[in-house]
Amino acid sequence: VHSAFLKAMVISEICKGVSNAARKNEVMQPADVIKTRFQARAFSQTSLWRTFADAARIEGGLAYYKGIVPTLCTVTPKVTLQMGGLAFFKPRCKDIVPDALVPATAGILTGIVQAFAFLTPMETIKVRQQVEVGWDGSYRTMVGTMRHMAANEGFLGFYQGQVLWL
């Protein structure tokens, strides 16, 4: 009975984490799109407000949600891996680092695994979709972006910029 209760509690916490992360991403997506576009096109945009207005004028309201699918696809694995990664790495770090550094070390190792496993590829896909305007349309959908990148850049194309994350 104790094991079943503990399992139900863990599942409940994962569901809460996923739900909260998904809502946060849905609310913050427009700001992320504008920030990404402004950074990518800083040479041609005069202000953040201009970037915001151009997105609405040229593409309509849905422009603010470009790249939302890859973002939402990372929520469940990210939350689950965060909880599982900490549980996995903490006992393995106890003999390697001082006790005070065990949680931080476990968190760093979990973050590295997350970055390599799925965050960097999905972030790359999301950014390609967000700055797609004016390109040949290869980045309109998540699957289309993945196909285009795999065919033209290979597997390592999904990890562009990975060194900067480390």
Side-chain angles (χ1 to χ4, degrees):
V1 173
H2 176 60
S3 177
F5 175 74
L6 188 57
K7 184 178 179 181
M9 196 166 86
V10 168
I11 290 171
S12 172
E13 290 301 311
I14 289 172
C15 290
K16 288 177 191 175
V18 167
S19 174
N20 288 336
R23 282 184 289 188
K24 186 243 357 158
N25 284 317
E26 290 166 1
V27 169
M28 294 305 297
Q29 185 69 15
D32 188 53
V33 169
I34 298 307
K35 173 197 69 95
T36 301
R37 287 185 178 188
F38 186 70
Q39 289 172 335
R41 301 184 185 133
F43 59 89
S44 65
Q45 298 291 339
T46 56
S47 70
L48 282 172
W49 293 113
R50 177 63 185 248
T51 306
F52 184 84
D54 285 351
R57 182 177 52 79
I58 296 168
E59 301 169 77
L62 291 178
Y64 303 119
Y65 286 91
K66 282 198 169 183
I68 190 75
V69 174
T71 300
L72 293 177
C73 286
T74 64
V75 170
T76 300
K78 183 178 179 181
V79 169
T80 305
L81 183 59
Q82 187 67 38
M83 296 175 85
L86 292 174
F88 177 82
F89 285 117
K90 277 184 181 178
R92 285 158 179 83
C93 294
K94 285 187 178 186
D95 296 332
I96 300 171
V97 297
D99 287 345
L101 296 178
V102 167
T105 304
I108 289 167
L109 293 171
T110 298
I112 290 169
V113 170
Q114 285 177 324
F116 277 102
F118 59 88
L119 289 179
T120 299
M122 289 305 225
E123 179 73 13
T124 302
I125 293 165
K126 177 190 81 165
V127 169
R128 295 286 177 95
Q129 286 186 279
Q130 289 177 347
V131 297
E132 181 263 337
V133 177
W135 293 3
D136 63 1
S138 302
Y139 303 123
R140 287 207 176 103
T141 67
M142 186 176 94
V143 173
T145 303
M146 291 169 71
R147 283 184 185 144
H148 182 81
M149 289 175 65
N152 294 296
E153 301 169 50
F155 178 74
L156 293 179
F158 293 100
Y159 289 91
Q160 288 183 356
Q162 180 64 47
V163 173
L164 298 175
W165 282 91
L166 300 176

